[in-house]
Amino acid sequence: MAVTRPVDTDSHVYLVDGSGYIFRAYHALPPLTRSDGTPVGAVQGFCNMLWKLLEDLKGEDQPTHLAVIFDYSGKSFRNDFYEAYKAHRPDPPEDLVPQFGLIRDATRAFQLPCIEMEGYEADDLIATYAKQAAALGARVTVASSDKDLMQLVNGQVTMLDPMKAKRIGPDEVREKFGVGPERVIDVQALAGDSVDNVPGVPGIGIKTAAQLIEEYGDLDTLLARAGEIKQPKRREKLIEHAEGARVSRRLVTLKDDIEIDSPLEEFGTADPEAESLLGFLRSMEFRTLTRRVEEALGSGPADETGDATAPVERDRYECVQTMDALNRWIARAKAARVVAVDTETDALSACASRLVGVSLAVAPGQACYIPLGHLGGDLADGGGRPEQIDMAAALGALKPLLQDPAVLKVGQNLKYDLAVLKRHDIDVAPYDDTMLISYVQEAGLHGHGMDELAQTLLGHTCISFKEVAGSGKSQKSFAEVDLKSATAYAAEDADVTLRLYEILKPSLAQRSMATIYETLERPMPGVLARMELAGVKVDVAQLSRLSSDFAQKMAEAEEGAHAAAGTKFNLGSPKQIGEILFGQMGLPGGKKTKGGAWSTDAAVLDQLAAEGHDLPRQLLTWRQFSKLKSTYSDALKAAINPDTGRVHTSFSLAATTTGRLSSSEPNLQNIPIRTEEGRTIREAFIAEPGHVLVAADYSQIELRLLAHIAGVDALKDAFKAGHDIHAMTASEMFGVPLDEMDGATRRKAKAINFGIIYGISAFGLANNLGIGRDEAKAYIDSYFRKFPGIADYMDAMKAEAKERGYVQTLFGRRCHFPGIRDKNPAMRQFAERQAINAPIQGTAADIIRRAMIRMEDAIGRAGLKARMLLQVHDELVFEAPEDEADRLIEVVREVMEGAALPAVALSVPLDVEAKAAKTWGQAH
DNA sequence: ATGTTCACG
DNA sequence: GACGTACGTGAACATC
């Protein structure tokens, strides 16, 4: 744990260039993966280096202060004046990406400060800290071998190559650059750096640059007197590229006056607490290093307050009601470098609710609640508004903590809190989400809500919301809950979240799911929170018109139905419909429902209507309009947020077994499109004036993935050639030439193609096509013969699910099916069909997640203002200024079509159809 | 709280 | 040969 210790002339400050080290370790060391496949080579190199540094320096060179400093991902201030800076750098290798997060975890496990700052590179932070420390008289060691840091070297500041254990002082710098440290930037400005896109002066390398600087003293003098140079080529180049040299000097000159968040004094070194470090090293499977650390530190039992499984004591939570108390908690959180955060609001919707309080936990059992928006009126609080810190002041103090790149914020379903805090202009980062850490490991096995996780992982029963707010009609909003109950409830949430994190996070690595979590889960809450906050505009007048149209159609159908039945009844009651149709009228009943009653669903009513009966026809019409009115036109109008005038859905990240999202309150993933009447609802989704909606959807993505995953050459070739896939299937199966294909045959093939994806059964296909079971069976057999690979794929998935309990997507996401070993054959077969479907549906879900994660950045880089609003499984919906539409479509298509790369190279192309229009309906 | 139906991919 | 079905969701409404 870092301690606070003043910096003075006896201090020795170590500044470790974490980012520089990551790349060197990655390239210098052989690739290493943990047993679960997570790449950890760079992490191991990094941990070895840190440990060696700490051990080697036990003598007189021992650091009194130490911090590890990282680049902030994204652009730096240098791009503000020179756009091309580091622009040609390729994206880091796929197997390095997950290690960035792990290396920050490693730093925290060593209990060392982990420093980064938006807009700055690690080198600038190091320069700033080095200057401050030197000014206080301390000695400084910069642990790096990066030549760009050599300009910092002087009598007090030396560098240490952490891999070669070699000291770099002024003499070594002179050896490398031919000039002393104080002239290094001049030499770099002339020589340039092709790797970082620093232009320099063409034709001049380090040797020549050093010679010129030696001769003329410094860069400005050289450029001013360039005309005196004897060699004509060199003279011309220098005169021509003088400005390039000046820009280059600005690029290579490190910024040493950044306003830093974490002062030097907080970097005081202390022996690391053994268990948390060892826990991390063991989870990474670094056996040698684990043993070394065990020997050096001993490994006693965990400290009582640090045990995630210690009993939860609700009365020990603190209710924070003064700025002093709040500042103490913020300091504790900063020191701990990890803090669990939870927000309480007065309603369930993140977009429509008001912030009521924030809770924090810094260690198991160490949690507080900060009430901010509680109302008076409760007798327990004496009737008045309870004593609370001013909301703006509290958020002002919390903001730097919540945005501090060196403090990890942990939440349970953090998307909600991100959205609430974003509305108060706070961008929480970095973060981890316990719900997602659980989901990525155990999707399909159980739910991932906090109460359930606390029960199973901690054996703890959380206070229910009802216990503090009541239930039913008398339920209070959280703002009306008294502070004592609110503190017990809210602080417990943060406490439990932190404990869950300590248990769940290490298991992520143990089961080699860290890469999936890092690439497909961790980035999502931020993306979705922004989409939900953006919302989508709907045309209120249009919805009102539709509601009254539908009401009229319903009334007509109701009248017709009552007339046809000869009696009045409730058209919304399947029970009454059954009694009339199959009782009074004596029609033959078709299938039964699960509960044993006669089914009256659309398939049954359709059949009866086709036989010429009027009542089922009227019922179908009534149901259609009743559905459109109550579920869509009425509900959407009621869902409009009065502040924004838009509809804000909530996306759920941990609801499905396959990795798909779900949408609720309202569900915007099931807006009608299949029928003409239904489409009118989609026409009510509109763009702001001067804007358009762009809808982009993957064409046939699941069939394409089936072709790739099952290795079906005929399907692959058809997709590569851009053929109509259902017509091709029909032609193969039924022997009809493509140019003679009729609609009915193609429709049959289409049903079979979909059936395959769903884990086909003869009964299901027969039902769907309205044919006999024998005929359906013959179709399936014929399909398997024509497309070898499919049957093998199905058998393989069933076997894999049976053996492991889960199947995997192409990217490695696991979908569990506990029913696969059930003794009930129906349950088992259900699980088998799920196991066949999940890798296909799940891979498609992974691909669109990857596209979404890359999309915002791609839109930003293209200089567009467009916003991503909705995801509907294979479709993304955007809103953009009219004049951006064409460019947006280009960017969106590029990102979506390439979303599987580089992790997976598909053997079929992904095709995206995109269109811009004023309404969602027209954008299809 | 559960079942039925139906909207979407 | 049993089992009773197409895969994944969420919302409204009736009924218990």
Side-chain angles (χ1 to χ4, degrees):
Chain A
M1 193 66 64
V3 296
T4 301
R5 178 183 297 146
V7 175
D8 55 29
T9 50
D10 293 329
S11 302
H12 189 170
V13 177
Y14 270 74
L15 302 167
V16 180
D17 173 17
S19 290
Y21 194 80
I22 292 174
F23 286 95
R24 266 195 88 194
Y26 177 78
H27 289 108
L29 300 169
L32 171 76
T33 56
R34 210 170 31 186
S35 56
D36 63 352
T38 311
V40 291
V43 184
Q44 187 188 44
F46 181 81
C47 290
N48 280 332
M49 181 271 290
L50 271 190
W51 181 247
K52 196 160 176 310
L53 200 57
L54 297 173
E55 286 298 280
D56 285 358
L57 302 173
K58 282 271 156 89
E60 58 190 60
D61 248 356
Q62 186 164 16
T64 56
H65 298 76
L66 191 152
V68 185
I69 297 163
F70 295 95
D71 287 338
Y72 190 86
S73 58
K75 298 193 168 186
S76 81
F77 71 92
R78 288 183 175 79
N79 294 103
D80 295 344
F81 64 87
Y82 190 69
E83 212 176 311
Y85 179 67
K86 293 195 175 178
H88 295 324
R89 286 253 175 117
D91 285 338
E94 184 83 5
D95 62 332
L96 179 55
V97 173
Q99 302 193 62
F100 290 130
L102 291 174
I103 283 174
R104 284 166 176 77
D105 288 346
T107 308
R108 290 184 202 99
F110 274 91
Q111 293 134 60
L112 293 170
C114 176
I115 305 295
E116 56 191 313
M117 234 175 128
E118 184 171 6
Y120 297 104
E121 298 179 59
D123 291 357
D124 300 309
L125 291 165
I126 291 172
T128 300
Y129 283 120
K131 186 181 175 192
Q132 290 185 359
L136 293 165
R139 280 186 302 143
V140 178
T141 294
V142 176
S144 174
S145 52
D146 188 342
K147 64 178 182 347
D148 296 342
L149 284 163
M150 290 187 181
Q151 60 185 270
L152 301 178
V153 170
N154 57 36
Q156 274 172 275
V157 181
T158 55
M159 288 175 66
L160 179 67
D161 182 331
M163 290 180 92
K164 295 184 192 153
K166 183 183 153 202
R167 281 267 165 203
I168 300 165
D171 291 342
E172 286 77 14
V173 173
R174 199 161 284 117
E175 205 174 289
K176 166 105 185 152
F177 280 102
V179 294
E182 66 287 351
R183 289 283 160 253
V184 162
I185 51 176
D186 291 344
V187 169
Q188 286 184 286
L190 286 171
D193 185 336
S194 58
V195 181
D196 292 348
N197 257 3
V198 174
V201 175
I204 295 189
I206 287 188
K207 285 269 164 57
T208 316
Q211 195 189 321
L212 288 166
I213 293 298
E214 278 290 279
E215 194 174 336
Y216 290 87
D218 60 47
L219 183 70
D220 289 323
T221 313
L222 169 67
L223 293 176
R225 295 170 50 196
E228 301 170 15
I229 291 169
K230 294 185 191 79
Q231 300 90 328
K233 270 262 171 61
R234 191 174 289 177
R235 185 173 62 233
E236 284 160 26
K237 286 281 184 198
L238 272 168
I239 293 167
E240 187 188 342
H241 293 100
E243 193 47 38
R246 289 196 186 92
V247 170
S248 300
R249 184 169 55 182
R250 279 182 75 192
L251 288 174
V252 300
T253 303
L254 298 180
K255 187 166 167 58
D256 60 10
D257 55 357
I258 300 171
E259 258 187 63
I260 36 102
D261 295 333
S262 308
L264 267 177
E265 297 79 56
E266 290 180 8
F267 300 164
T269 50
D271 276 339
E273 192 270 308
E275 273 316 305
S276 79
L277 176 54
L278 286 168
F280 177 83
L281 296 174
R282 286 189 197 111
S283 77
M284 287 285 133
E285 302 172 5
F286 300 153
R287 293 197 182 76
T288 313
L289 185 56
T290 305
R291 207 184 52 241
R292 260 189 233 146
V293 173
E294 275 169 348
E295 282 163 13
L297 297 178
S299 47
D303 154 17
E304 203 162 330
T305 59
D307 185 357
T309 55
V312 171
E313 294 175 73
R314 283 176 201 130
D315 344 326
R316 288 186 48 194
Y317 298 139
E318 180 180 335
C319 183
V320 173
Q321 292 171 288
T322 65
M323 264 327 263
D324 275 355
L326 176 59
N327 285 328
R328 276 196 298 277
W329 278 96
I330 291 172
R332 289 179 71 183
K334 275 191 85 165
R337 309 259 160 212
V338 181
V339 59
V341 180
D342 188 39
T343 55
E344 302 298 336
T345 58
D346 64 359
L348 255 79
S349 156
C351 299
S353 57
R354 278 202 304 269
L355 183 60
V356 170
V358 177
S359 49
L360 304 176
V362 297
Q366 309 285 313
C368 71
Y369 177 59
I370 309 145
L372 298 171
H374 282 258
L375 307 169
D378 197 294
L379 292 176
D381 281 330
R385 192 171 178 278
E387 185 193 336
Q388 289 168 90
I389 308 174
D390 171 68
M391 169 116 46
L395 293 177
L398 283 165
K399 184 172 175 174
L401 174 74
L402 296 174
Q403 299 191 346
D404 188 339
V407 180
L408 181 71
K409 273 65 67 173
V410 179
Q412 163 72 19
N413 188 18
L414 199 65
K415 185 202 68 179
Y416 184 88
D417 310 271
L418 295 187
V420 169
L421 291 164
K422 177 75 192 177
R423 288 171 59 212
H424 289 91
D425 198 33
I426 295 175
D427 290 296
V428 178
Y431 61 78
D432 259 322
D433 190 328
T434 46
M435 179 182 78
L436 298 182
I437 297 174
S438 171
Y439 176 71
V440 81
Q441 297 183 70
E442 314 234 281
L445 292 181
H446 53 77
H448 308 278
M450 195 181 69
D451 293 355
E452 186 173 349
L453 295 178
Q455 195 66 78
T456 49
L457 295 175
L458 305 171
H460 171 71
T461 310
C462 293
I463 320 178
S464 69
F465 187 76
K466 277 183 201 159
E467 280 174 67
V468 295
S471 65
K473 194 156 64 81
S474 61
Q475 190 170 63
K476 292 186 270 192
S477 106
F478 202 78
E480 298 163 303
V481 173
D482 69 280
L483 294 192
K484 188 159 183 284
S485 312
T487 299
Y489 175 86
E492 179 186 65
D493 277 4
D495 185 13
V496 165
T497 300
L498 191 68
R499 292 168 189 242
L500 289 174
Y501 180 72
E502 292 191 356
I503 289 175
L504 285 167
K505 192 69 198 279
S507 66
L508 197 53
Q510 278 157 22
R511 299 198 208 171
S512 53
M513 294 305 289
T515 306
I516 311 290
Y517 172 71
E518 291 295 331
T519 56
L520 293 174
E521 301 290 344
R522 174 131 85 161
M524 290 300 288
V527 174
L528 293 179
R530 287 184 285 276
M531 290 169 68
E532 293 178 8
L533 286 172
V536 54
K537 191 176 173 72
V538 293
D539 184 339
V540 196
Q542 165 82 350
L543 289 174
S544 297
R545 271 196 302 278
L546 289 174
S547 282
S548 64
D549 281 1
F550 296 152
Q552 197 185 335
K553 296 267 176 45
M554 284 168 71
E556 287 165 17
E558 183 168 19
E559 205 175 315
H562 286 163
T567 171
K568 292 209 167 186
F569 66 100
N570 181 354
L571 275 72
S573 163
K575 193 178 164 218
Q576 293 179 33
I577 292 173
E579 280 161 12
I580 291 170
L581 285 176
F582 309 116
Q584 293 174 30
M585 294 176 64
L587 296 176
K591 48 186 181 180
K592 292 273 188 71
T593 66
K594 222 191 237 135
W598 290 112
S599 171
T600 69
D601 68 14
V604 172
L605 296 183
D606 259 333
Q607 176 67 33
L608 294 173
E611 289 164 15
H613 299 286
D614 190 38
L615 180 54
R617 188 74 264 156
Q618 302 283 6
L619 286 170
L620 283 165
T621 305
W622 185 87
R623 276 204 186 144
Q624 182 188 13
F625 291 112
S626 164
K627 179 77 176 179
L628 291 176
K629 182 170 189 289
S630 63
T631 310
Y632 298 105
S633 56
D634 288 352
L636 282 171
K637 206 151 42 114
I640 297 170
N641 180 316
D643 295 336
T644 63
R646 295 165 73 98
V647 175
H648 306 263
T649 185
S650 170
F651 288 105
S652 172
L653 273 162
T656 70
T657 338
T658 55
R660 270 195 178 179
L661 307 183
S662 76
S663 158
S664 61
E665 291 173 296
N667 181 355
L668 296 185
Q669 289 182 322
N670 71 346
I671 300 304
I673 192 169
R674 290 172 185 170
T675 68
E676 201 184 315
E677 296 85 353
R679 264 172 186 264
T680 59
I681 299 283
R682 224 168 247 243
E683 299 294 332
F685 285 77
I686 57 175
E688 289 286 347
H691 289 64
V692 285
L693 293 180
V694 169
D697 65 285
Y698 284 110
S699 160
Q700 310 280 13
I701 189 170
E702 294 196 353
L703 270 178
R704 286 169 195 264
L705 292 173
L706 174 71
H708 171 86
I709 295 172
V712 187
D713 289 333
L715 285 177
K716 284 200 243 177
D717 293 343
F719 279 124
K720 281 183 207 160
H723 290 154
D724 175 340
I725 200 69
H726 300 311
M728 191 282 293
T729 308
S731 175
E732 282 285 323
M733 286 192 56
F734 303 111
V736 181
L738 276 174
D739 47 4
E740 291 170 27
M741 186 56 57
D742 58 300
T745 309
R746 183 180 179 280
R747 202 177 53 79
K748 263 197 281 191
K750 186 175 173 181
I752 299 169
N753 274 332
F754 277 106
I756 294 292
I757 290 174
Y758 296 152
I760 203 158
S761 74
F763 196 99
L765 182 63
N767 218 13
N768 189 281
L769 282 177
I771 57 176
R773 228 157 116 182
D774 295 340
E775 198 183 348
K777 173 91 168 55
Y779 287 172
I780 295 169
D781 290 343
S782 153
Y783 191 100
F784 286 164
R785 274 196 305 276
K786 289 285 179 188
F787 302 110
I790 301 269
D792 291 341
Y793 163 75
M794 292 182 163
D795 291 340
M797 288 309 107
K798 287 191 242 179
E800 185 176 328
K802 202 148 292 172
E803 188 185 319
R804 307 198 221 189
Y806 62 84
V807 292
Q808 286 177 293
T809 66
L810 282 184
F811 298 89
R813 175 190 297 283
R814 293 178 189 170
C815 313
H816 295 83
F817 302 102
I820 199 85
R821 293 180 186 135
D822 200 292
K823 61 180 178 353
N824 177 349
M827 292 286 285
R828 223 165 42 230
Q829 283 165 4
F830 180 42
E832 284 173 358
R833 289 194 299 272
Q834 291 176 310
I836 290 166
N837 173 259
I840 302 166
Q841 188 182 112
T843 301
D846 291 347
I847 287 174
I848 200 165
R849 279 182 186 231
R850 290 168 66 93
M852 293 169 76
I853 289 162
R854 294 175 188 176
M855 193 63 74
E856 293 173 313
D857 194 40
I859 289 173
R861 270 187 279 119
L864 302 176
K865 293 199 195 78
R867 288 187 300 180
M868 184 159 59
L869 307 183
L870 298 174
Q871 188 251 44
V872 193
H873 310 309
D874 64 355
E875 172 186 7
L876 295 174
V877 181
F878 303 82
E879 183 172 39
E882 261 168 73
D883 61 357
E884 281 187 6
D886 294 341
R887 277 182 298 155
L888 178 66
I889 286 174
E890 227 173 280
V891 170
V892 166
R893 182 169 278 137
E894 168 112 12
V895 171
M896 288 177 75
E897 291 184 349
L901 294 169
V904 170
L906 293 172
S907 52
V908 287
L910 291 178
D911 183 41
V912 170
E913 292 171 3
K915 194 175 164 198
K918 275 286 171 192
T919 77
W920 193 9
Q922 288 160 16
H924 271 274

